[in-house]
Amino acid sequence: MKEEKVILVNENDEQIGLMPKLEAHEKAILHRAFSVFILNDQKELMLQQRAHHKYHSPGLWTNTCCSHQREGESNIEAGTRRLEEEMGFTTPLKETISFIYKAPFDNGLTEHELDHVLVGQYEEKPVINPEEVSDWKWMPIEDVRKDIMNNPDLYTAWFKIIFDKFYEHIAI
């Protein structure tokens, strides 16, 4: 299987090249990414626990899904594709904010991403892909915030950053 490439960008989100995903994470090169947040009508957030065999952040809790756009793919198209691949459903998404973050991991890799935050609403149970996701749950947004403060090691780096800085943009 051919390794997926990520879109390298400058700080203005202008594409400046392509690079294999693992290489971009090894070299900490800024690239485009997205994070999807799905809420239900009770203002609960659908969290996923990353599969335990993932090469970074295995077994950690995070937002509903996240990944990288493919060349020529819009943020919404990418989010919709990956939501289906990871969680087994689609729902309309809207773009909210974007931000740049850099997070080194214990395994020598570094996430350096311009992350686009996408939000949607869904009321059903997902059909998770066990290659990507170990578990999932609905959790009230305020409870998520408190649990991140009390148990930060249970959550991914980008998820904690989004909650810390952009909490008010997540709720629909």
Side-chain angles (χ1 to χ4, degrees):
M1 186 169 139
K2 185 177 160 187
E3 184 179 5
E4 189 128 359
K5 292 187 175 183
V6 295
I7 300 169
L8 305 181
V9 294
N10 62 23
E11 291 185 357
N12 296 318
D13 199 22
E14 298 165 336
Q15 183 173 339
I16 57 173
L18 296 171
M19 182 177 282
K21 180 169 70 170
L22 188 56
E23 183 181 353
H25 291 141
E26 289 169 343
K27 296 179 176 177
I29 305 293
L30 182 62
H31 57 279
R32 190 176 291 153
F34 63 88
S35 295
V36 176
F37 287 75
I38 299 297
L39 295 111
N40 63 21
D41 61 6
Q42 295 176 32
K43 297 295 184 197
E44 294 172 317
L45 179 60
M46 182 183 287
L47 298 178
Q48 72 149 271
Q49 184 180 34
R50 290 172 58 84
H52 291 278
H53 62 268
K54 291 281 202 172
Y55 68 91
H56 74 74
S57 307
L60 296 183
W61 287 94
T62 195
N63 51 289
T64 313
C65 82
C66 52
S67 190
H68 304 94
Q69 297 84 338
R70 293 178 177 158
E71 188 172 33
E73 192 175 46
S74 74
N75 297 327
I76 297 293
E77 290 167 339
T80 300
R81 169 184 54 80
R82 200 64 186 149
L83 191 58
E84 173 71 33
E85 291 170 358
E86 290 186 23
M87 303 303 285
F89 70 90
T90 60
T91 191
L93 300 174
K94 70 175 184 177
E95 293 190 54
T96 59
I97 52 152
S98 60
F99 66 101
I100 294 174
Y101 78 96
K102 193 172 190 177
F105 297 105
D106 292 341
N107 62 4
L109 301 177
T110 300
E111 285 281 20
H112 189 194
E113 296 184 333
L114 197 157
D115 193 24
H116 296 268
V117 178
L118 311 174
V119 178
Q121 188 164 349
Y122 192 69
E123 303 302 323
E124 308 297 322
K125 290 183 177 182
V127 181
I128 61 172
N129 175 352
E131 290 298 310
E132 301 291 338
V133 180
S134 289
D135 201 0
W136 75 279
K137 62 185 172 184
W138 289 111
M139 195 169 181
I141 294 173
E142 279 304 317
D143 291 356
V144 173
R145 185 180 196 141
K146 290 173 190 169
D147 200 45
I148 288 172
M149 287 192 291
N150 294 329
N151 302 293
D153 293 345
L154 299 180
Y155 294 92
T156 62
W158 59 89
F159 186 60
K160 291 183 284 192
I161 292 168
I162 292 170
F163 253 83
D164 184 46
K165 294 186 176 182
F166 306 110
Y167 173 78
E168 68 274 7
H169 296 283
I170 295 168
I172 357 181

